Amino acid sequence: VDHRAFPEQMIALIQRLAVRGAPLIGVAAAMALGRYAAEPNRSDAEIRAAASALRASRPTAVNLMNAIDRLLRIYGKRGAAALLPEAQALFQEDVALCESMSARGAELIQNGDGILTHCNTGGLATVGRGTALGVISKAWSQGKKIHVYVDETRPLLQGARLTTWELQKLGIPFTLICDNMAGSLLRAGKVQRAFVGADRVAVNGDVANKIGTYGLAVLCRHHKVPFYVVAPSTTYDPTCLTGAKIPIEERGAQEVRGVWAPADSPAWNPAFDVTPKDLITSIIFEDRTW
Amino acid sequence: VDHRAFPEQMIALIQRLAVRGAPLIGVAAAMALGRYAAEPNRSDAEIRAAASALRASRPTAVNLMNAIDRLLRIYGKRGAAALLPEAQALFQEDVALCESMSARGAELIQNGDGILTHCNTGGLATVGRGTALGVISKAWSQGKKIHVYVDETRPLLQGARLTTWELQKLGIPFTLICDNMAGSLLRAGKVQRAFVGADRVAVNGDVANKIGTYGLAVLCRHHKVPFYVVAPSTTYDPTCLTGAKIPIEERGAQEVRGVWAPADSPAWNPAFDVTPKDLITSIIFEDRTW
């Protein structure tokens, strides 16, 4: 590993989603910056350039900006040597944040619940137990009999690829569905509660999360099923007043077209959407429920 | 081609969806039965067995049962020789049904409309111009500037594979989306109207159609966007009082798991859902709007 290139390597991993999940992106970017800054003779300009590049690697999840900004504040006060320990602190804190959110969210789950979730929000998306999936695994570990319905989460199938894998490892019963089956599932009364994560929470409580979250929130409202967002305070953006101000990453059309649509089909590929607070039953942070 | 095996071959084509689309299934099954009955020395038992097998090849689209039942009534009155001409009449009638539905539906489309559709309902799903996609192509042929948003329609991607192809051939501007993006698209105000087809219309006006239709209807209601079903009267089932009585085909889990989910992941794969009449702005038949 060429440590001089480490921020670039991490940026590439983040951009191709090998490292993904809002909390994990923040910690991973901080670790990359901390490790980079710990090299001998690193200049101020190099450190600031690396911080800027990491901070800009993806636009929507604010954990990334929050983590880099926290390291830059420490850097201003205590210099380069303080960055790696601060990144390591962020790493440890994420584990604790996950535990707190999970314990608080698990109280909402009843024995026998069918639980719908979207995308991947577990150990593959955080350093710790996860956000929404952390809540689910916590409830299971408390002995509650639950059944998890997993949205496959097109186009990149994080639900089908990652959440199923985590649930299998955990031994939690689940059923994979296509995203467009959630309506029928809700109508059939199979779902008592929905839990999702978040990529950014605005000051007014609007939430950006994986594309499809908004539609799911509307469906839950229609069926009077509680819809919960689970997020650490590192996902909160005090500078973003409403969801309308959250930048939504648009990714390439090829992710939607796959190998099956005509090669030149125009396609729209927003990676996230915004759910207004009034469709969210509550947002579960590590220290409060909103 | 072994004409003795022709019903079996058609059943296989229908079951693997090489022939699909409610109107087309009905006509194709009728043609197979008519051709089979036209062979010399075909026995009454053979004809009735072929009719039963074709009729049972898929459970949800009632055009299939309606078409076979129509041929069996003719058979009872006029014998085997009458079946192929009757099937050919059904074939021709479907073209005319499509034209009538399309002309009636196209009146609802305004210049500049964004139109959302689901699955494939055009020339690849009928003998003629199509149902929902027939309406869209008719409006386009009338010079209305429209833009079509195409749900990819997981798991079998009829929107991404077939509707995009038809729209390209027709020269109609479109954008392909993943099913879970419809909510964001509606919220962004891009959609003025939604048009879908149907696999069965019950006596109370509930409609079975491709999985995802129900969720889309809920989203349209939430955003106050008119939601239209376009269907020929061959899709109406006078013996089925409500949507709850419509048999919904469940297909194999592998279609949902693909090659990306863990091989033993449990998955739910209903091919259709039921949309209650109260979520449907109107049903456009060839001769009336309900």
Side-chain angles (χ1 to χ4, degrees):
Chain A
V1 178
D2 177 358
H3 288 114
R4 287 174 303 177
F6 201 54
E8 285 168 35
Q9 289 165 357
M10 183 57 75
I11 290 165
L13 291 172
I14 289 171
Q15 290 182 341
R16 69 179 169 86
L17 310 198
V19 172
R20 35 66 57 198
L24 188 60
I25 290 171
V27 174
M31 294 289 282
L33 182 61
R35 185 68 191 73
Y36 181 75
E39 292 292 302
N41 304 317
R42 189 65 69 211
S43 75
D44 177 69
E46 284 175 324
I47 290 171
R48 292 191 183 277
S52 291
L54 282 160
R55 196 182 189 281
S57 56
R58 288 188 77 192
T60 303
V62 80
N63 311 61
L64 174 63
M65 297 72 167
N66 283 341
I68 297 295
D69 290 348
R70 175 166 154 181
L71 260 64
L72 284 173
R73 283 193 300 273
I74 291 291
Y75 177 62
K77 286 186 211 164
R78 300 199 269 125
L83 294 194
L84 188 53
E86 188 72 10
Q88 288 165 334
L90 262 170
F91 183 101
Q92 293 298 337
E93 286 168 24
D94 190 66
V95 176
L97 290 171
C98 287
E99 288 301 322
S100 299
M101 282 182 281
S102 296
R104 302 182 80 261
E107 292 175 20
L108 298 164
I109 293 179
Q110 304 296 314
N111 197 48
D113 276 356
I115 296 170
L116 182 56
T117 192
H118 191 69
C119 200
N120 173 264
T121 59
L124 298 171
T126 63
V127 183
R129 174 192 281 279
T131 58
L133 201 56
V135 166
I136 290 166
S137 72
K138 185 72 179 178
W140 175 257
S141 75
Q142 292 167 344
K144 292 174 184 166
K145 300 282 178 242
I146 55 179
H147 191 95
V148 184
Y149 294 93
V150 180
D151 271 358
E152 63 176 6
T153 318
R154 278 279 293 150
L156 294 177
L157 299 161
Q158 291 93 339
R161 292 186 294 112
L162 309 179
T163 301
T164 53
W165 185 86
E166 290 203 40
L167 289 168
Q168 274 194 342
K169 293 274 173 193
L170 293 161
I172 304 175
F174 70 91
T175 301
L176 176 64
I177 63 169
C178 296
D179 301 317
N180 69 20
M181 297 169 186
S184 283
L185 192 73
L186 284 156
R187 187 158 189 250
K190 302 284 191 187
V191 178
Q192 279 64 57
R193 255 159 275 281
F195 288 89
V196 300
D199 288 85
R200 193 182 303 214
V201 180
V203 172
N204 72 342
D206 293 351
V207 169
N209 191 46
K210 179 57 56 199
I211 186 70
T213 301
Y214 169 66
L216 200 57
V218 171
L219 286 169
C220 284
R221 171 61 50 92
H222 184 82
H223 294 90
K224 301 183 170 60
V225 166
F227 183 86
Y228 298 106
V229 171
V230 186
S233 52
T234 50
T235 306
Y236 180 72
D237 184 356
T239 73
C240 185
L241 296 185
T242 78
K245 302 287 188 188
I246 301 175
I248 299 298
E249 177 182 6
E250 293 204 14
R251 297 179 61 86
Q254 194 56 48
E255 291 177 356
V256 175
R257 279 197 298 253
V259 296
W260 46 84
D264 47 353
S265 297
W268 185 48
N269 188 15
F272 305 94
D273 59 26
V274 173
T275 302
K277 179 64 164 71
D278 66 12
L279 290 175
I280 300 168
T281 305
S282 41
I283 305 175
I284 299 154
F285 290 105
E286 72 277 10
D287 57 356
R288 68 188 192 286
T289 297
W290 181 15
Chain B
V1 176
D2 177 359
H3 288 113
R4 285 175 303 177
F6 201 54
E8 283 167 37
Q9 289 165 358
M10 183 57 74
I11 290 166
L13 291 172
I14 290 171
Q15 289 182 340
R16 69 180 168 85
L17 310 197
V19 171
R20 34 66 58 199
L24 188 59
I25 289 172
V27 173
M31 294 289 281
L33 182 60
R35 185 69 191 74
Y36 180 75
E39 291 293 300
N41 304 319
R42 188 67 68 212
S43 75
D44 177 69
E46 283 175 324
I47 291 172
R48 292 190 182 279
S52 291
L54 281 161
R55 197 181 188 281
S57 56
R58 289 189 75 193
T60 304
V62 79
N63 311 61
L64 174 63
M65 296 73 166
N66 283 340
I68 296 296
D69 290 349
R70 176 166 153 181
L71 259 63
L72 285 173
R73 282 193 300 274
I74 291 292
Y75 178 62
K77 284 187 214 166
R78 300 201 269 125
L83 294 193
L84 187 54
E86 189 72 7
Q88 287 164 335
L90 263 171
F91 183 100
Q92 293 298 337
E93 285 168 24
D94 191 65
V95 176
L97 290 170
C98 287
E99 286 302 322
S100 299
M101 283 182 280
S102 297
R104 303 182 78 261
E107 292 175 21
L108 298 163
I109 294 180
Q110 304 295 313
N111 198 48
D113 276 356
I115 297 169
L116 181 56
T117 192
H118 191 69
C119 200
N120 173 264
T121 59
L124 298 171
T126 63
V127 183
R129 173 191 280 280
T131 58
L133 201 56
V135 166
I136 290 166
S137 73
K138 185 72 179 179
W140 175 257
S141 75
Q142 292 167 343
K144 291 174 184 165
K145 300 282 179 240
I146 55 179
H147 191 95
V148 184
Y149 294 93
V150 180
D151 271 359
E152 63 176 7
T153 317
R154 279 278 292 147
L156 294 177
L157 298 161
Q158 291 92 338
R161 292 187 295 111
L162 308 179
T163 301
T164 54
W165 185 86
E166 290 203 42
L167 289 168
Q168 274 195 342
K169 292 274 173 192
L170 293 162
I172 304 175
F174 70 92
T175 302
L176 176 64
I177 64 169
C178 297
D179 301 317
N180 69 19
M181 297 169 185
S184 283
L185 192 73
L186 284 156
R187 187 158 188 251
K190 302 285 192 188
V191 178
Q192 280 63 56
R193 254 159 277 282
F195 288 89
V196 300
D199 288 85
R200 193 182 301 214
V201 180
V203 172
N204 72 341
D206 293 352
V207 169
N209 191 46
K210 180 58 54 196
I211 187 70
T213 301
Y214 169 65
L216 200 56
V218 171
L219 287 169
C220 284
R221 171 61 50 91
H222 185 81
H223 294 89
K224 302 184 170 58
V225 166
F227 183 86
Y228 298 106
V229 171
V230 185
S233 51
T234 50
T235 306
Y236 179 72
D237 184 356
T239 72
C240 184
L241 296 185
T242 78
K245 302 288 188 188
I246 300 175
I248 299 296
E249 177 182 7
E250 293 204 14
R251 296 179 61 86
Q254 195 55 47
E255 291 178 355
V256 175
R257 281 197 298 253
V259 296
W260 46 83
D264 47 352
S265 297
W268 185 48
N269 188 16
F272 305 94
D273 59 26
V274 173
T275 301
K277 179 62 165 70
D278 66 12
L279 290 175
I280 300 168
T281 306
S282 40
I283 305 175
I284 298 154
F285 290 106
E286 72 276 10
D287 56 355
R288 68 189 193 283
T289 297
W290 181 16

